Amino acid sequence: MNRIEGHDKVTGRATYAAEYPVEGVTYAYPVQAEIARGRITSIDAAGALAMPGVLTVLSSEDPPELAPDADPELGLFQRREVAYRGQIVAAVVADTYENARAAARAVRVTYQEDPHDVRLRSDHPGLYRPEKVNPFYPADTEKGDVAAGLAAAAFTVDVTYTTPAMHNNPMEPHATLAVWSGDGDLTVYDATQGVSTARDMIAKTLGLPAERVRVVCRHVGGGFGAKGTIRPGTMLAVLAARAAGRPVKVALTRQQLFDVTGYRTPTIQRLRLGADADGRLTAVDHEVAEQSSTLIEFAEQTATPARTMYETPALRTAHRLVRLDVASPSWMRAPGECPGMYALESAMDELAIAVGMDPVELRVLNDPEVEPAGGRPFSSRNLVACLLEGARRFGWEGRDPTPGVRRQGRWLIGTGVASSTYPALRRPSQATATVENGGYVVRVAAVDLGTGARTALTRIAATTLGVPPEQVRVELGDSDLPAAPLAGGSMGTASWGSAVVAACEEALRDGKHGAADTTDAIKAQEDLARHSFGAQFARVRVDMDTGEVRVSHLLGIFAAGRIIDEKLARSQFVGGMTMGLGMALMEATVTDEEFGGFSNHDLAQYHVPVCADIERIDAAWIEEDDRHLNPMGAKGIGEIGIVGTAAAIGNAVYHATGIRVRDLPITPARLLA
Amino acid sequence: MEITLQVNGTRRTVEVDPRVSLLDLLRERLGLTGSKKGCDHGQCGACTVLIDGRRANACLALAVAQDGSDITTVEGLADGDRPHPLQAAFIEHDAFQCGYCTPGQLCSAAGMLAEGGPSAITDDLATDPALTAEEVRERMSGNLCRCGAYPNIVTAIVEVAR
Amino acid sequence: MRSFEYARAADPADAVARFRPGTMYLGGGTNLVDLMRLGVAEPEYLVDVSRLPLDRVEPDGEGLRVGAAVRNSDLGAHPLVRERYPMLARAVLSGASGQIRNMATVGGNLLQRTRCPYFQDVSKPCNKRLPGSGCPAIDGDHSNLAVLGHSTACVATHPSDMAVALAALDARVHVTGPGGDRVIPMPGLHRLPGDEPGRDTVLEPGELVTAVLLPAPPPGASRYRKVRERASFAFALVSIAAVLDVAGDGTVRECRIALGGVAHAPWRCERAEQALRGARAGEESFGRAADAELAQARPLPRNAHKVPLARNLIVRTLLELAP
Ligand SMILES: Cc1cc2nc3c(=O)[nH]c(=O)nc-3n(C[C@H](O)[C@H](O)[C@H](O)COP(=O)(O)OP(=O)(O)OC[C@H]3O[C@@H](n4cnc5c(N)ncnc54)[C@H](O)[C@@H]3O)c2cc1C
Ligand code: SF4
Ligand code: FES
Ligand code: FES
C-alpha cells in the first residue's frame, strides 16, 4: 500500500519538529565543553548578553530548577563537572538563529582541566561486569564447559573483531520547539520516536506531573534509536523557553548530533568457536568489551545473539564495560545484535573455512531445537528456510570456497553469507477506536518515524474492522492520545497493533467505541523465545589496485512473522541492509584521543552510503504463521535488516581477496595495509 | 539588506541579515519549510532547491547573494493540484520512508533531469549518455537518504526520465 | 557567524578596488560559507565575484580560456572541454555533488581550503588556522592527510580534484590585484606548507583569479582517476591525472603525472616523469617511475596506505594509457 502521508511528504507539507509555526519564536544555541574532563571554574556571559538580539544565557552559574533525581545527561546546567568534550555547558537564547549562534561563541567558559581517558582497550583496568545489559538481559551467561569444548574440538577459531563507534545520523537532526502556556503547561514539538516516553521523561526531569506536558511529533526524519529517548537538546529547548518566557526552538547542528545524541559504542569482541570433525559446534565463547560515559551506564547487549543462534553443548557470553570520558552511547539500529552478529557470523565463516565446509551448510547443521542459552522453545524459527531459500535465489550452489581466484579485469569477485536475528518483543500499549463520520478513528500515541506505522496501523485496523482502509483514520504522534511505547526495538507495530486490534474488536462489539490496554495480555503470555531470523548473501568486487570495495548484490531473506504490508516491509529491510553496507565499508566515528570527543563529526567526514553505493539490494521473506506473537502474527522488521549485512559483506571480501579484515570498516586503507 | 526573489512564482521582497542562508530564509522567514536542513554544510542535499532552474544547496547559498534569482522549492514543483511526475512516481514506488530527504531528492531529480551532459562515470565523455539506473545513481549521490530508499528513488526517477 | 557586509562586484577592477583588510571574495560560497558557519573564516566584507563577466569558456589560440566564475558543472559539461580535455572534465565531474558543482566556481575550486578535521574545528589548535597554535593532526587523525611535501608545522592536503588535472595540463592562472595582473603556472599556485602553513597559495592579499588558461591539449592519452571511501560524493584518498604519449617504437615520448590527496598542493610527479621519458613503456618502467617519485614519501602512522595506493594508481593508470 502507498504511504498514507506520502502526498504530504512529497509536497513539503509534512511538518517536522522545528517547522511548527509559532508566534514569537526564539532560538537557543548551545555552548559546548571544550575539554574532555574537568570542572568549570567560571562562565562569563557578559559579552554574549551585550550582543544584538540576545535574550538570556543559561548555564550552571544560575542552575535552572529541576527534579533532584534528574538524569545526569538531561539535567542541564546542574553541575560544574565536565564529563565529555561537547557536553552542553551553557546556551544563548536570541531572537534569531544567527544571533543566538554568534553570541554562543562569545560566552567565555574557563575550566580546570583534568587528564582524560577516552580510549577503549580490551585490557583496560576499568573494565567491569555490568549488572545487566540493555534493556534487561544478564551480562553473562554460561552453560557447559567451554574450555573442555574447545579442547575437545577438531577445529577451533579464536579471533578478535572490532567495530568502531558509529553514529545513527538520521537525516533530520534532533530538533525541539518548546512552548510554555501562561498557566505553566508545556507543549513540546519534538523529533522523537516516542511521544509518551518523551512526555514522561520531560515531566520527570522537570519534576512536573505528566499531565502538564504534551509532546507532539507528527513526522520525524528518522531516528534509528537516536530519538528513542529524549536527548539534551530537548531539555535545552524546554529550559530555555522557561527562562526566556518565549517559545524556543533548538535545532541541533549535525556536528552537535555527534556529541550529544548518542552513538553505537565501539566494541572489541573475542570469539572462540570449537567444532568437531563433522562441523558440529563443541563450544562458543563470545566476550565483549565496550564503553559507556561516566554519567550513565549504557551496556550494549552485543553478545546476546550468541545465546540464540547455534546449538552447542558449551556456551559462554560475557559483557565488560568501561566508563570513559566520552559521551553516553545509546541505541543505534539493532543495538547488540548488529555488532554482535557481525563478529559471530564472521567467526562462523572462519570456522566453515577451518572445517572445510560450506558456510550455509555449517549454519544449517548447527541450527538448534530450543534456545541454546536458556532452553526455551522458539515461538517459531525459520533460519534454515531463509538460508536455503536465499542460497537458491542467489545461485549459491556449487560455490568454490577458494579465496582470491575469481577475476573480472582488475576486480576480484567474491560471495559471502551471514545469518540475521532479532528479538520479537512487545510492550504494553493503549489504543482506542471510535466510529466518527461514518468511518473509524483509531487513536494511539505511536510515532511514525518512516517505518510506515500510520499505514501499517491503518491496515491492521481495517482488517480487524472488516472495512476498506479508506474508512479508517489513524491519529498518532501526540502524547494526549492513548499512551503507547516508543518506536524502537522493532516493537512498535507489534505493541501498538495489539492494542489497535483489541480496541477495534471492542468497537465492533460496542458499535461505537472501543478502548484497549494490552498490559495484562502481555504479562500473561507464554514464556517462549521469540525471534525473527534471516539470511543475507553478498556479492562484492574488490579493486586489486586500490582496495575499493563495491557491493554488486545483496540479498536478504527474512522470517519475520506475517508481513503486514509488502511495500513497507521491503523498504524497511532494504533500508536496514543499506545501513549494514555502510557499517561494513565506511561508517566509523574517530575518537579524538588528544582532545576527547569525535574528530570526524559531519557528513563529509563520517561517510554513510550514497546512492551510487547501492547497486542492487533484494529483500524477500518466508511467510510464517506464528500464533504465539500477537493478534497480527507479526514480528518486527525495523532492525533485522541491518543484522548480518556487515558479516556477509566481510565474508565476501575475504572470498574475493583472501584478506580477512577483522576491524570494521573495510576500507581501501585496511585492504592495502 | 533588501533583496527580491521570485519564490515558486511569487515575487518576494524581504529585508535580510547578510548572514542568513537561503535555506533559513525559506524555512524561518518565508514559512516554506518544505526544504530541509540536514547538515547546513552542503553534505547531505536535503536543502536542495532550484536556483534559476539549477539544483543547488540552499544551506550554502547566502540569501543576499541570490538577489534577483528565481527559486523553486518542493512546494513549487507541482503544477497547481497536479503533482509533478516525480512526486507521483516517488509515492508509487515508495521512494521514501521518513520523508526528510524527500524534498531535496525531488528538487535534485528535477534539476538533474534538466541537466544532461556526462557524469563522472560516463565512459565516453564526448557523448550524452542515456539516463540508466547507474547514471542516475551517480548523479543523485549528492542527496543522502539514511532510511536507505535509494533503490526505489532510482526506480522512480528512471521511470520519469523515460 | 560574525556579521559582515556584502556587495556584488561589477567587474574585476571593481572587485579589487573594494578590497581592504578583512575582505574576502565570494564565489559560489560552497567552501567559504561552510567555513564561515564553522567560524573558521570571519570576513568583515564579502565581495561577491560569482557574477562577474568571467563566466565563459572560449578558445584561446590552441588552448582554452576558462573564466574564473565559470561554474564547475558548466566546465565539466562544456563540449570543448569534454572533447579536448576529457581528463579535466572527468576530474571536475568527480568532485563534490551535482548541486555543489552547479554553485562552485573555477576560482573558488582552486582556492578551497583543506578538509583537515582540526582546521575545521575552531575549538582545537591548528597552525593553518591559528599560526603557532600547533598541529594536532601530526599525532592525531591524519588518516587522509599528506604523505608528500609536508612539514612539521602542517600535514594538510589540498582537496581539489580539478586542480590536479590543471597541474597535469600545465595550466596558467591569471590573476589581477592591487599590484596589477600576473600569470601563475600550475603547478605553482599552491604552496607546500613549510613553516607558513597559513598560506595555501602564492596569491597576495586582494589578488583575484580571473581565468585559467589551458595550453593546447598534450599529445597522447589521458585519464583522471579518483579513489575514495565510497562510490561517489567523497573527497579523494588519492587521485591521479596522467597523460602518456608513447612513440611507435614503444618508448615514452612524453608523460605528465599529477597526484591529488597526497600533499598540500596538487603533486606533480616530476621525478617519475623524468624516469619515464625515453624509457620503454611497460609495467616495469612504470613501477620504477612510481618508486622514484614515492621514494620521497614520508607517510604518517595512520596514512601509510596512501603510498602503495599512489604507486598502484600510477602503474595501473599508465598501463591503461599505454597503447
Ligand atoms: C560536501 C562537499 C563535498 C565536496 N567534495 C569535493 C570533491 O570531492 N572534490 C573537490 O574538488 N571539491 C569538493 N568540494 C569542494 C568544492 O569543490 C569547493 O567548495 C568549490 O569548488 C569552491 O568553489 P566556490 O566558488 O563555491 O568557492 P567559494 O566558497 O566561494 O570560495 C572559496 C575560496 O576561494 C576564494 N575565491 C573565490 N573566488 C575567487 C576568485 N575569483 N579569486 C580569488 N579568490 C576567490 C574565496 O575567497 C574563498 O577563500 C566539496 C565541497 C563540499 C561542501
Ligand atoms: S595539518 Fe595543517 S590544517 Fe591540519 S591541524 Fe595541522 S596545521 Fe592545521
Ligand atoms: S542541509 Fe544543505 S546540504 Fe545538507
Ligand atoms: S526517507 Fe528518510 S532519509 Fe530518505
Side-chain angles (χ1 to χ4, degrees):
Chain A
M1 180 168 157
N2 290 343
R3 282 170 207 264
I4 287 169
E5 73 285 4
H7 186 260
D8 286 345
K9 284 183 174 170
V10 300
T11 53
R13 268 177 234 161
T15 308
Y16 297 79
E19 301 173 349
Y20 287 82
V22 169
E23 203 60 47
V25 70
T26 63
Y27 299 80
Y29 193 89
V31 178
Q32 298 176 268
E34 297 194 355
I35 62 166
R37 183 175 173 205
R39 241 186 100 74
I40 297 168
T41 49
S42 75
I43 297 178
D44 176 4
L49 283 164
M51 287 176 69
V54 173
L55 299 168
T56 186
V57 173
L58 290 89
S59 79
S60 52
E61 294 286 312
D62 182 12
E65 212 169 296
L66 290 180
D69 61 343
D71 170 291
E73 279 280 13
L74 301 177
L76 292 175
F77 317 127
Q78 302 296 298
R79 27 170 106 204
R80 301 292 264 184
E81 285 75 28
V82 171
Y84 59 92
R85 187 188 189 87
Q87 194 176 3
I88 296 176
V89 295
V92 174
V93 188
D95 59 344
T96 67
Y97 177 70
E98 292 76 20
N99 282 339
R101 190 165 180 177
R105 282 201 70 192
V107 175
R108 295 278 154 261
V109 186
T110 52
Y111 304 94
Q112 183 203 310
E113 193 172 351
D114 294 329
H116 62 256
D117 180 3
V118 294
R119 191 159 70 93
L120 174 68
R121 312 181 259 132
S122 57
D123 60 351
H124 197 292
L127 284 165
Y128 68 98
R129 179 162 58 88
E131 276 296 303
K132 62 175 177 65
V133 294
N134 176 65
F136 46 61
Y137 300 113
D140 291 8
T141 62
E142 191 153 5
K143 98 169 176 189
D145 185 340
V146 167
L150 289 170
F155 304 98
T156 56
V157 164
D158 180 352
V159 285
T160 299
Y161 284 86
T162 70
T163 61
M166 286 174 247
H167 275 77
N168 310 50
N169 275 312
M171 284 312 301
E172 179 202 19
H174 293 58
T176 310
L177 180 53
V179 188
W180 289 88
S181 75
D183 46 15
D185 285 345
L186 173 65
T187 304
V188 182
Y189 302 90
D190 196 35
T192 178
Q193 293 174 220
V195 283
S196 302
T197 319
R199 176 201 53 196
D200 294 348
M201 288 179 81
I202 294 168
K204 177 167 184 285
T205 310
L206 291 169
L208 280 182
E211 311 80 70
R212 309 293 296 273
V213 181
R214 176 179 174 209
V215 175
V216 177
C217 179
R218 309 244 188 259
H219 298 284
V220 54
F224 315 108
K227 295 170 183 165
T229 50
I230 63 163
R231 303 294 147 104
T234 301
M235 284 315 298
L236 175 57
V238 168
L239 298 178
R242 194 170 70 180
R246 299 268 294 272
V248 167
K249 192 187 283 193
V250 169
L252 295 181
T253 64
R254 179 61 57 182
Q255 287 83 350
Q256 288 162 352
L257 247 61
F258 280 83
D259 298 323
V260 299
T261 65
Y263 60 96
R264 194 196 295 290
T265 174
T267 69
I268 303 171
Q269 306 183 46
R270 182 171 180 203
L271 255 306
R272 291 190 297 162
L273 306 180
D276 67 15
D278 300 330
R280 272 179 216 285
L281 288 166
T282 56
V284 171
D285 184 13
H286 191 171
E287 178 159 346
V288 186
E290 45 198 28
Q291 74 189 34
S292 191
S293 68
T294 57
L295 293 178
I296 61 165
E297 178 179 273
F298 177 84
E300 182 149 342
Q301 66 272 40
T302 307
T304 55
R307 300 172 187 170
T308 305
M309 284 308 293
Y310 301 113
E311 183 61 52
T312 173
L315 170 63
R316 180 178 163 264
T317 59
H319 297 85
R320 296 294 173 268
L321 193 69
V322 57
R323 310 286 284 274
L324 300 172
D325 303 311
V326 296
S328 303
S330 183
W331 302 323
M332 175 166 169
R333 206 171 200 164
E337 275 72 18
C338 177
M341 285 291 277
Y342 161 67
L344 178 61
E345 291 300 294
S346 301
M348 283 296 279
D349 200 62
E350 299 207 48
L351 183 65
I353 291 159
V355 176
M357 190 175 216
D358 180 83
V360 170
E361 238 176 87
L362 179 73
R363 289 173 170 90
V364 171
L365 178 72
N366 286 290
D367 198 56
E369 282 298 316
V370 294
E371 199 176 31
R376 287 184 305 177
F378 289 101
S379 68
S380 59
R381 178 180 171 110
N382 283 300
L383 173 61
V384 169
C386 292
L387 285 162
L388 298 180
E389 173 64 8
R392 188 185 67 75
R393 290 206 200 192
F394 193 74
W396 183 265
E397 204 186 328
R399 171 185 184 263
D400 172 6
T402 318
V405 294
R406 286 150 301 273
R407 273 183 61 173
Q408 240 166 52
R410 298 299 294 169
W411 294 108
L412 292 168
I413 314 291
T415 53
V417 64
S419 306
S420 311
T421 187
Y422 199 77
L425 302 176
R426 269 195 306 170
R427 287 206 187 102
S429 178
Q430 304 172 8
T432 61
T434 313
V435 178
E436 276 179 36
N437 304 325
Y440 288 90
V441 180
V442 170
R443 294 188 170 86
V444 53
V447 168
D448 188 343
L449 69 153
T451 53
R454 221 179 239 102
T455 311
L457 292 177
T458 302
R459 278 195 79 157
I460 289 169
T463 307
T464 314
L465 294 164
V467 299
E470 299 76 55
Q471 287 184 29
V472 176
R473 185 161 59 82
V474 171
E475 283 184 11
L476 46 71
D478 188 333
S479 65
D480 281 357
L481 297 167
L486 59 98
S490 296
M491 288 180 260
T493 305
S495 308
W496 311 321
S498 299
V500 166
V501 168
C504 289
E505 282 170 348
E506 196 185 309
L508 283 178
R509 283 193 298 271
D510 182 75
K512 278 211 282 284
H513 180 74
D517 184 333
T518 57
T519 310
D520 294 339
I522 290 177
K523 266 197 207 122
Q525 76 191 1
E526 253 176 290
D527 189 21
L528 294 173
R530 296 177 174 82
H531 300 271
S532 301
F533 291 94
Q536 302 208 20
F537 293 78
R539 176 172 286 110
V540 306
R541 52 188 202 281
V542 182
D543 188 297
M544 300 170 70
D545 301 305
T546 63
E548 290 163 290
V549 181
R550 299 284 182 264
V551 180
S552 316
H553 186 195
L554 274 181
L555 168 68
I557 307 286
F558 301 97
R562 198 171 70 76
I563 297 302
I564 290 167
D565 185 282
E566 297 198 359
K567 211 177 220 180
L568 298 176
R570 187 164 285 114
S571 290
Q572 279 294 299
F573 291 135
V574 169
M577 293 164 78
T578 301
M579 211 179 260
L581 182 151
M583 170 183 179
L585 301 182
M586 60 192 85
E587 293 191 32
T589 332
V590 180
T591 297
D592 187 331
E593 291 185 15
E594 180 171 2
F595 301 106
F598 299 108
S599 68
N600 58 336
H601 54 187
D602 65 28
L603 291 172
Q605 300 179 80
Y606 182 97
H607 288 154
V608 304
V610 295
C611 200
D613 289 303
I614 308 303
E615 299 183 4
R616 179 176 171 201
I617 300 188
D618 296 322
W621 45 86
I622 308 265
E623 279 295 339
E624 285 187 311
D625 184 14
D626 184 335
R627 308 284 166 90
H628 307 288
L629 299 169
N630 50 55
M632 297 79 61
K635 295 175 177 172
I637 56 173
E639 280 154 292
I640 191 164
I642 197 178
V643 180
T645 317
I649 292 173
N651 296 341
V653 168
Y654 171 79
H655 188 228
T657 62
I659 303 172
R660 179 68 68 177
V661 177
R662 297 197 183 91
D663 307 290
L664 288 185
I666 305 169
T667 55
R670 294 228 158 90
L671 285 167
L672 290 173
Chain B
M1 289 180 73
E2 190 179 274
I3 60 165
T4 300
L5 301 170
Q6 191 85 10
V7 184
N8 297 329
T10 310
R11 228 176 110 91
R12 310 284 294 252
T13 299
V14 280
E15 180 68 34
V16 289
D17 179 332
R19 294 174 297 177
V20 174
S21 67
L22 173 62
L23 180 62
D24 285 335
L25 174 71
L26 294 167
R27 282 173 63 82
E28 303 296 331
R29 284 153 230 227
L30 299 183
L32 292 170
T33 54
S35 308
K36 303 302 180 201
K37 187 188 283 189
C39 71
D40 225 10
H41 287 277
Q43 302 164 354
C44 77
C47 63
T48 305
V49 299
L50 301 175
I51 303 181
D52 296 326
R54 294 161 62 122
R55 53 181 172 157
N57 304 95
C59 66
L60 291 182
L62 292 176
V64 282
Q66 312 314 314
D67 189 17
S69 299
D70 191 306
I71 313 292
T72 306
T73 69
V74 71
E75 289 96 338
L77 277 187
D79 179 6
D81 280 343
R82 203 146 38 89
H84 188 285
L86 283 166
Q87 291 173 318
F90 266 52
I91 293 179
E92 199 46 47
H93 293 286
D94 206 34
F96 51 85
Q97 295 180 32
C98 76
Y100 200 77
C101 72
T102 311
Q105 302 278 2
L106 287 162
C107 288
S108 183
M112 184 272 287
L113 291 177
E115 272 164 16
S119 80
I121 60 150
T122 308
D123 270 338
D124 180 0
L125 289 177
T127 61
D128 282 354
L131 270 191
T132 58
E134 199 189 358
E135 283 284 351
V136 168
R137 286 198 292 263
E138 161 61 21
R139 289 161 201 251
M140 289 300 293
S141 282
N143 291 85
L144 305 184
C145 175
R146 189 56 160 162
C147 295
Y150 295 129
N152 294 350
I153 291 171
V154 173
T155 306
I157 295 174
V158 168
E159 183 183 280
V160 174
R162 285 226 185 85
Chain C
M1 206 184 279
R2 173 161 6 143
S3 289
F4 58 88
E5 270 181 73
Y6 168 89
R8 224 176 246 183
D11 54 47
D14 178 42
V16 173
R18 287 174 181 276
F19 187 86
R20 56 177 200 237
T23 302
M24 288 186 82
Y25 297 130
L26 175 69
T30 59
N31 188 228
L32 183 52
V33 174
D34 179 350
L35 293 177
M36 286 165 65
R37 194 161 287 135
L38 293 171
V40 174
E42 298 200 296
E44 288 160 18
Y45 186 29
L46 271 193
V47 174
D48 189 343
V49 297
S50 68
R51 305 199 187 208
L52 293 183
L54 302 171
D55 57 348
R56 309 255 307 260
V57 178
E58 49 200 5
D60 181 272
E62 296 284 281
L64 216 55
R65 181 188 180 89
V66 180
V70 169
R71 306 289 169 162
N72 286 187
S73 48
D74 294 334
L75 181 63
H78 198 282
L80 287 175
V81 178
R82 288 159 64 182
E83 197 187 306
R84 301 176 59 197
Y85 305 92
M87 178 176 76
L88 174 61
R90 189 157 331 258
V92 171
L93 293 170
S94 305
S97 65
Q99 293 91 312
I100 291 172
R101 292 192 297 271
N102 272 341
M103 304 170 77
T105 62
V106 166
N109 188 317
L110 280 173
L111 299 177
Q112 63 175 298
R113 310 213 63 191
T114 183
R115 309 300 293 199
C116 169
Y118 303 95
F119 174 74
Q120 298 183 72
D121 186 342
V122 294
S123 72
K124 297 174 185 171
C126 162
N127 281 332
K128 185 182 276 300
R129 183 165 32 75
L130 204 69
S133 61
C135 174
I138 291 175
D139 292 319
D141 183 4
H142 53 239
S143 55
N144 202 19
L145 299 182
V147 294
L148 283 160
H150 48 77
S151 70
T152 52
C154 177
V155 296
T157 44
H158 193 263
S160 168
D161 289 295
M162 182 188 78
V164 180
L166 293 180
L169 289 168
D170 285 340
R172 280 166 298 143
V173 179
H174 286 233
V175 305
T176 183
D181 299 353
R182 60 177 181 134
V183 179
I184 302 165
M186 288 276 291
L189 174 69
H190 301 92
R191 300 173 64 251
L192 292 182
D195 52 11
E196 231 188 322
R199 289 186 63 200
D200 293 356
T201 68
V202 300
L203 291 187
E204 297 296 334
E207 279 192 317
L208 176 78
V209 175
T210 54
V212 172
L213 261 89
L214 304 176
S222 70
R223 191 158 183 218
Y224 186 79
R225 183 162 177 204
K226 175 177 184 181
V227 177
R228 39 187 161 182
E229 279 187 5
R230 62 184 178 193
S232 187
F233 198 25
F235 288 93
L237 295 174
V238 178
S239 69
I240 182 170
V243 187
L244 183 69
D245 185 24
V246 178
D249 65 356
T251 59
V252 174
R253 201 154 32 207
E254 182 52 44
C255 72
R256 315 247 190 101
I257 305 166
L259 295 174
V262 294
H264 198 257
W267 189 266
R268 186 70 182 262
C269 299
E270 279 159 22
R271 293 187 194 183
E273 293 174 13
Q274 187 80 34
L276 274 176
R277 284 188 197 103
R280 172 154 301 277
E283 184 148 6
E284 196 203 330
S285 62
F286 297 159
R288 256 188 289 117
D291 291 337
E293 189 65 42
L294 295 168
Q296 5 160 24
R298 283 175 297 128
L300 303 162
R302 280 176 277 272
N303 70 4
H305 58 277
K306 286 196 174 187
V307 179
L309 179 52
R311 185 185 194 278
N312 293 352
L313 267 184
I314 293 173
V315 173
R316 181 58 39 197
T317 308
L318 293 176
L319 278 170
E320 281 165 9
L321 294 176

